[in-house]
Amino acid sequence: AAIAMLRRAVQDDPTCAMALHNLGSLLLQQGQADEGEKLMRRSVEIDPAYSFGFANLALLEAQRENKDAALDYLMQVNKAKVITPDTSMIANLAYMLLATQDRNIEQARRHFDLASEINPDHPLLEKFEEWLDRLEIFSDSFGFLANYQKQSANRFHRKMLNTPLTKDTNLETCLFGLT
């Protein structure tokens, strides 16, 4: 029913960026990605000041790990004279994803927290928070493991530096500490 109403709105006014974007977004959610994305892109072509459309396209590209395209769309959002709270929230989610792709989990958390402050009840937040929480746990665990491996390697190297070399020490003993 919603798709039919939006199709009619677009048919009545094919230059209405909001109707194009909303129809595109709904089609995208319904699995009609090609048509949905095409309409979303058309919305910002028709209205280059439609920052909400740019923010959603940035989020879409960030989800696809297409950093350059996401940043291009976010630059358009940043140029806007006025940014609505929902636009800012969506843009912060896109920045969050880009930060995770750069393995900057702290920055990702800051962007997520900003998005949460802007609209704490937005339905997208739950999905992104669960994902970010898991990523933080993994990052902490991986960080611990990487640190342990580094410390272990340093201990081994110190041991090797303290192992006296003699005429009976062969290459295997020197490199691997085997006696």
Side-chain angles (χ1 to χ4, degrees), residues 147-162:
N147 190 38
Y148 176 78
Q149 288 175 328
K150 183 178 177 182
Q151 289 174 355
S152 180
N154 285 336
R155 282 190 302 273
F156 175 77
H157 287 260
R158 280 194 304 275
K159 179 182 174 188
M160 296 302 1
L161 288 172
N162 292 327

Side-chain angles (χ1 to χ4, degrees), residues 51-160:
S51 58
F52 185 70
F54 282 113
N56 276 291
L57 286 166
L59 182 60
L60 181 65
E61 293 298 346
Q63 288 173 315
R64 293 178 175 163
E65 298 185 12
N66 188 350
K67 183 178 180 176
D68 291 338
L71 287 172
D72 287 345
Y73 287 127
L74 287 167
M75 284 296 136
Q76 295 302 316
V77 173
N78 293 338
K79 289 179 185 178
K81 292 179 182 174
V82 176
I83 298 175
T84 67
D86 276 346
T87 299
S88 181
M89 190 213 61
I90 297 293
N92 271 291
L93 290 177
Y95 278 120
M96 180 203 82
L97 289 176
L98 294 174
T100 63
Q101 291 163 23
D102 289 338
R103 293 182 175 82
N104 190 336
I105 306 305
E106 289 176 21
Q107 184 179 14
R109 176 53 73 180
R110 283 193 299 273
H111 281 292
F112 178 81
D113 289 346
L114 282 171
S116 296
E117 287 177 28
I118 294 166
N119 189 348
D121 298 323
H122 197 284
L124 277 178
L125 291 177
E126 186 176 340
K127 171 185 137 185
F128 282 103
E129 184 168 33
E130 288 173 9
W131 182 78
L132 186 56
D133 287 345
R134 284 193 305 265
L135 189 59
E136 286 172 329
I137 290 168
F138 175 77
S139 179
D140 289 346
S141 299
F142 182 75
F144 172 78
L145 180 60
N147 190 38
Y148 176 78
Q149 288 175 328
K150 183 178 177 182
Q151 289 174 355
S152 180
N154 285 336
R155 282 190 302 273
F156 175 77
H157 287 260
R158 280 194 304 275
K159 179 182 174 188
M160 296 302 1

